Every structure is written in structure tokens, then in C-alpha cells.
């Protein structure tokens, strides 16, 4: 029977899923050549107005559904809906393995891991490090394990790619006991950076061997400094609020502000968490939207200010990463904003001419992979990321290593 690999990325308000073919499964290849997308989809708006949509690789809508919000329409029930729909649309294929995006691998996991009962228990201990994300990541793993205890499930971590960061980039200026217990920078979006690091040699071999900054600019946004394709610094830190301002997250914030909010505004932990994660960033500054497309189209000066602050902070954080790398050979834009907004890329690059960055307006408008001019000191690229494919690749690699094939 033909088989496939499913990928699940479960968050607080959405569950994304993809299914890939795994037709050359007996080969020991760990590349992406035999992993072809069959369909993908998501349920979003969980807890508000849940909506399901599944699409074919060409974007054709295969199915959609909506539910009125109700306590019974929860993650578990919606996951069951996804499993049922996927099961009915596999065209006779069998799901041999499921790869999961898991935000935190703590101090322990520097690469993907096959999940068993003891791994699951360890992953539960990281909930304290990522309380808004980790519990949701683990629900599908537990649910599927209950349905089929022998299902091959792999956890792939957003933190793993950054475990190569040196101590000097990793440690906060806190007393050592905090650092030792794990209060340090972890960095996130690691699956996206790993995908780009894998792709870079096919675009530019020199870039893959040199000093690169990869800007993952989506509704969550961060940047990574890579030396010879390994992470040496990230704008994100202990949590995914640090660094760049995002759709609804503050990015770096003077910790004194939090003390002020507690003392003077009597805000408790939940109030502050909501403010930092959900009400700030582009939405908070503009008061209009967290979506960069909406802000770019708006005439409202608050929207312009939000975009200006985003661009300013990207440039400022980028200069910090260039200092960490002691120079820059390559800049890569990826994720929703990075891949799709020539205006934002142009605004960022215009302010970086002092670094020897020069972009070709026409190439930038087309978003074709290389957007720098031939005389630019730094090669600048637009490379679409694919975290789901990265997870499928890791899952298959572990299947091969664990001789799932006979
Ligand atoms: P996520 O972090 O949810 O994976 P994405 O990487 O998909 O986010 O990025 C989503 C964001 O990308 C949207 O919120 C939107 O602001 C931005 N985006 C998408 N297309 C464009 C565009 N053409 N111009 C500007 N921003 C865009």
C-alpha cells in the first residue's frame, strides 16, 4: 500500500496539517525529493469562530466547514474532524508516521525525537517554558497515541536549530543559578531557519559557507545570524516575545515597563501576558490591524507609524546580528512579509546601504530569488520557507534510522 507522512502544527487558536507522499520510502534518502504535498489545511479561529479549510497543492479548496463557538468545539473535537477528513481523502494511502511541530525542546533536545511515553513526560516539563504554546503542541501527540499506541510520532523543535549558539549569545546577564536552571536564550522559528540553511547551498554555495542573516518576517517575526549555516544568535530569547515587534507581540521591551505595569497599573500575570502577546505589536501601535497588508494599504498615520517601527527595529536588530557575525555576506528574507512584501524589503534594505546592501528594484518587485544588484557587497535573497516539509523530512529520516521499513 502506498504510504504518507502527516505533519501537525497545533497552536493556541489553530491546528495546521499537511500530508506528504512517502513513495520512495525504502530509500535511505533524507532529502525532500520523494516528499510531495498531497493536501494541507487548517482549522483556525479556535475559541472564537472555528473554520476548517483544506486545499490541494495548487490552492484549490477541497473542503471547508464552520462551527458556532461552543465549549464542545475544542481542540480535541476539531482534531478528530481533521483526522476523519484526512482519513477519507488519502486515496488509499496509509499514514505511516506523524511529525509534530513542538515549540520547546528545552535544554535536552537538540534534534527531532521519536516520541514515546518517557519523551512525552519530558516534553510536559517544558510547558513552564512555553505555557501558551507547548500544551497545544502536545495535545495531538497524546490524542494520536491514545488512538494508536504504535503510531510513529516525531517531535520537531523550534528551539533545536539554535542549540549551536555560543554561551556569549545565549546567556542573560542574570546570576548563574538562573542560567543553570535554563533561564537563557533559546531562539525560535528554528524549523524555518533549518529549511533555509538546507536550501541556501542550491542558491549560493558561498553564502552557505559564510555569514548570513535570515529574516523570518511573518505574523511572528525573528532573525537568525548563521555562520556556515549554523545559528550563532537569534533575536528571540527565552520566549518568542523577544526581539522584533510582531503582529500582536511587543518584541524587546524594557523589563522596567513590566514592573511599572504591576506596581502602578496593578496588572496581574494574565493581564500582562495578554498585553505582551496579543494586544501589542502592529495591532497595538496602529489600533487597526495585526496584518501588514492592511497596514500598508491604510492612510491612517498610526498604520504608517506601526510599519515604520517594524522597519526600524528590523534594521537595528539586523545591525546587532551583523556585529555578532563580524560582517555579513548574505541576507535572506522569508515568511509571509519577507516573501510577499517588496515595499517592506525595500524600506529595510534602503536603510542598510552603509553595510554594502544594494537591491535591484525590478528583481525585488518580482521577488525572484536574488534581489541584490551584481555590485552589492551582500547578496540578498527571497527564499520561501517550508516548515512543514522540514518536519516531514525529519520524520522520514527518523523512520529510516529506526528501520520502520522492512
Ligand atoms: P505565521 O507566523 O502565522 O506563520 P506567516 O509567515 O504566514 O505567519 O505571515 C503572515 C503575515 O504575513 C500576515 O499577517 C501578513 O501580515 C503578512 N503578509 C502576507 N502577505 C503579505 C503582503 N503581500 N504584504 C505584506 N504583508 C504580507
Amino acid at each position: 500500500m502506498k504510504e504518507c507522512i502527516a505533519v501537525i502544527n497545533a497552536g493556541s487558536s489553530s491546528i495546521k496539517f499537511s500530508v506528504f507522499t512517502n513513495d520512495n520510502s525504502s530509500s535511505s534518502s533524507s532529502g525532500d525529493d520523494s516528499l510531495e504535498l498531497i493536501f494541507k489545511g487548517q482549522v483556525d479561529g479556535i475559541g472564537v469562530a472555528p473554520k476548517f479549510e483544506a486545499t490541494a497543492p495548487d490552492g484549490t479548496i477541497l473542503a471547508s466547514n464552520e462551527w458556532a463557538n461552543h465549549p464542545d468545539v475544542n481542540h480535541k473535537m476539531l482534531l478528530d474532524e481533521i483526522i476523519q477528513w484526512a482519513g477519507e481523502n488519502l486515496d488509499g494511502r496509509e499514514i505511516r508516521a506523524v511529525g509534530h511541530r513542538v515549540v520547546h525542546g528545552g535544554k535536552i533536545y537538540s534534534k527531532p525525537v521519536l516520541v514515546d511515553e518517557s519523551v512525552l513526560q519530558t516534553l510536559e516539563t517544558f510547558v513552564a517554558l512555553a505555557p501558551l504554546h507547548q500544551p497545544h503542541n502536545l495535545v495531538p501527540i497524546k490524542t494520536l497515541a491514545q488512538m494508536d499506541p504504535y503510531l510513529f510520532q516525531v517531535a520537531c523543535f523550534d528551539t533545536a536549530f539554535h542549540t549551536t549558539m555560543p554561551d556569549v549569545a545565549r546567556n542573560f546577564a542574570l546570576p548563574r543559578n538562573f542560567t543553570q536552571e535554563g533561564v537563557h536564550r533559546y531562539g525560535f522559528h528554528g524549523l524555518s531557519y533549518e529549511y533555509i540553511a538546507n536550501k541556501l547551498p542550491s542558491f549560493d554555495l558561498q553564502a552557505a559557507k559564510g555569514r548570513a542573516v535570515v529574516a523570518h518576517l511573518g505574523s511572528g517575526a525573528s532573525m537568525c545570524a548563521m555562520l556556515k549555516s549554523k545559528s550563532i544568535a537569534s533575536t528571540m530569547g527565552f520566549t518568542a516575545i523577544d526581539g522584533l515587534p510582531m503582529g500582536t507581540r511587543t518584541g524587546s521591551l524594557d523589563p522596567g515597563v513590566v514592573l511599572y505595569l504591576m506596581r502602578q497599573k496593578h496588572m496581574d500575570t494574565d493581564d500582562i501576558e495578554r498585553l505582551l502577546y496579543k494586544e501589542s505589536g502592529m495591532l497595538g501601535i496602529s489600533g487597526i490591524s495585526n496584518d501588514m497588508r492592511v497596514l500598508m494599504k491604510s492612510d491612517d498615520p498610526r498604520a504608517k507609524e506601526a510599519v515604520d517601527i517594524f522597519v526600524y527595529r528590523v534594521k537595528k536588530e539586523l545591525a546587532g546580528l551583523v556585529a555578532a557575525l563580524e560582517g555579513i555576506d548574505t541576507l535572506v528574507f522569508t515568511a509571509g512579509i519577507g516573501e510577499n512584501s517588496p515595499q517592506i524589503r525595500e524600506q529595510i534594505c534602503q536603510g542598510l546601504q552603509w553595510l554594502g546592501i544594494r537591491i535591484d528594484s525590478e528583481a525585488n518587485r518580482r521577488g525572484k530569488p536574488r534581489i541584490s544588484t551584481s555590485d552589492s557587497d551582500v547578496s540578498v535573497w527571497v527564499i520561501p520557507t517550508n516548515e512543514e516539509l522540514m518536519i516531514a523530512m525529519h520524520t522520514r529520516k527518523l523512520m529510516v534510522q529506526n528501520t520502520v521499513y522492512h
Side-chain angles (χ1 to χ4, degrees):
M1 182 192 266
K2 289 206 166 192
E3 58 185 54
C4 52
I5 293 175
V7 170
I8 297 183
N9 176 359
S12 55
S13 64
S14 71
I15 305 172
K16 296 181 186 160
F17 62 94
S18 320
V19 176
F20 294 87
T21 59
N22 188 30
D23 291 343
N24 299 329
S25 51
S26 57
S27 104
S28 60
S29 150
S30 55
D32 61 5
D33 45 327
S34 69
L35 291 167
E36 247 178 64
L37 183 69
I38 303 174
F39 55 72
K40 65 177 179 175
Q42 63 179 40
V43 176
D44 55 21
I46 303 175
V48 188
K51 266 191 198 163
F52 167 87
E53 189 171 279
T55 51
D58 66 1
T60 311
I61 296 174
L62 301 173
S64 61
N65 202 353
E66 289 181 25
W67 295 265
N69 197 25
H70 185 276
D72 290 346
V73 187
N74 53 24
H75 281 77
K76 168 89 179 60
M77 176 250 162
L78 293 165
L79 183 66
D80 287 344
E81 290 283 324
I82 291 172
I83 293 168
Q84 187 175 343
W85 184 86
E88 288 164 3
N89 286 275
L90 288 175
D91 215 7
R93 286 173 186 272
E94 180 196 8
I95 293 187
R96 283 300 296 274
V98 183
H100 298 265
R101 183 177 183 183
V102 176
V103 69
H104 227 296
K107 281 157 75 92
I108 297 176
Y109 296 117
S110 57
K111 48 186 192 208
V113 62
L114 175 60
V115 182
D116 60 17
E117 192 51 43
S118 98
V119 169
L120 198 50
Q121 277 174 16
T122 308
L123 297 180
E124 294 273 11
T125 65
F126 305 146
V127 165
L129 296 173
L132 294 190
H133 297 99
Q134 192 87 347
H136 299 294
N137 300 158
L138 302 186
V139 167
I141 303 183
K142 290 188 254 184
T143 306
L144 291 170
Q146 275 162 10
M147 290 168 69
D148 177 0
Y150 297 103
L151 181 63
F152 194 91
Q153 298 201 75
V154 174
C156 301
F157 304 102
D158 270 314
T159 48
F161 185 71
H162 300 290
T163 51
T164 48
M165 281 198 293
D167 285 353
V168 73
R170 200 183 65 127
N171 295 349
F172 293 124
L174 279 170
R176 294 194 162 270
N177 55 317
F178 290 102
T179 310
Q180 275 155 7
E181 73 176 55
V183 184
H184 56 65
R185 288 185 171 279
Y186 287 92
F188 298 89
H189 289 135
L191 292 158
S192 171
Y193 293 127
E194 189 181 7
Y195 180 81
I196 300 292
N198 282 352
K199 277 275 160 196
L200 212 45
S202 63
F203 289 100
D204 183 344
L205 199 52
Q206 276 318 107
K209 292 180 184 164
R211 301 160 297 182
V213 172
V214 180
H216 177 110
L217 309 179
S219 50
S222 74
M223 292 192 290
C224 176
M226 287 185 202
L227 185 61
K228 298 184 183 155
S229 298
K230 300 254 185 295
S231 171
I232 63 145
S234 161
T235 57
M236 279 185 169
F238 179 62
T239 65
I241 341 177
D242 204 9
L244 300 174
M246 310 175 210
T248 59
R249 287 173 248 172
T250 53
S252 301
L253 183 75
D254 177 350
V257 173
V258 175
L259 300 178
Y260 171 85
L261 297 174
M262 290 164 75
R263 280 222 184 87
Q264 307 301 325
K265 300 285 171 191
H266 309 292
M267 289 172 75
D268 66 16
T269 316
D270 288 345
D271 296 334
I272 294 176
E273 189 170 73
R274 199 168 46 250
L275 177 77
L276 301 183
Y277 277 96
K278 306 256 185 233
E279 297 170 357
S280 298
M282 299 299 100
L283 176 65
I285 302 168
S286 69
I288 298 170
S289 173
N290 63 340
D291 192 321
M292 196 56 93
R293 286 165 293 202
V294 175
L295 299 180
M296 303 287 288
K297 280 195 200 122
S298 170
D299 295 330
D300 192 312
R302 297 173 305 164
K304 181 176 180 314
E305 189 187 346
V307 176
D308 287 349
I309 289 178
F310 181 77
V311 169
Y312 171 81
R313 293 275 289 275
V314 171
K315 289 186 293 188
K316 197 158 167 265
E317 294 270 357
L318 191 134
L321 295 178
V322 172
L325 287 163
E326 299 182 5
I328 177 168
D329 306 305
T330 306
L331 170 62
V332 178
F333 288 102
T334 194
I337 301 169
E339 290 168 28
N340 298 305
S341 178
Q343 298 95 313
I344 296 279
R345 292 194 298 259
E346 187 169 342
Q347 284 183 47
I348 292 168
C349 291
Q350 262 176 2
L352 295 171
Q353 294 201 4
W354 59 277
L355 276 175
I357 291 177
R358 278 178 186 60
I359 58 165
D360 177 327
S361 303
E362 182 51 27
N364 181 43
R365 201 183 51 73
R366 281 184 281 120
K368 282 302 169 208
R370 184 174 166 136
I371 62 167
S372 47
T373 58
S374 54
D375 65 349
S376 177
D377 293 339
V378 177
S379 66
V380 185
W381 301 84
V382 177
I383 304 179
T385 194
N386 195 337
E387 289 150 302
E388 286 75 23
L389 182 55
M390 194 70 239
I391 294 170
M393 287 162 71
H394 278 307
T395 303
R396 193 176 53 176
K397 197 169 166 190
L398 278 183
M399 290 167 82
V400 171
Q401 284 169 2
N402 285 271
T403 56
V404 170
Y405 306 117
H406 302 288

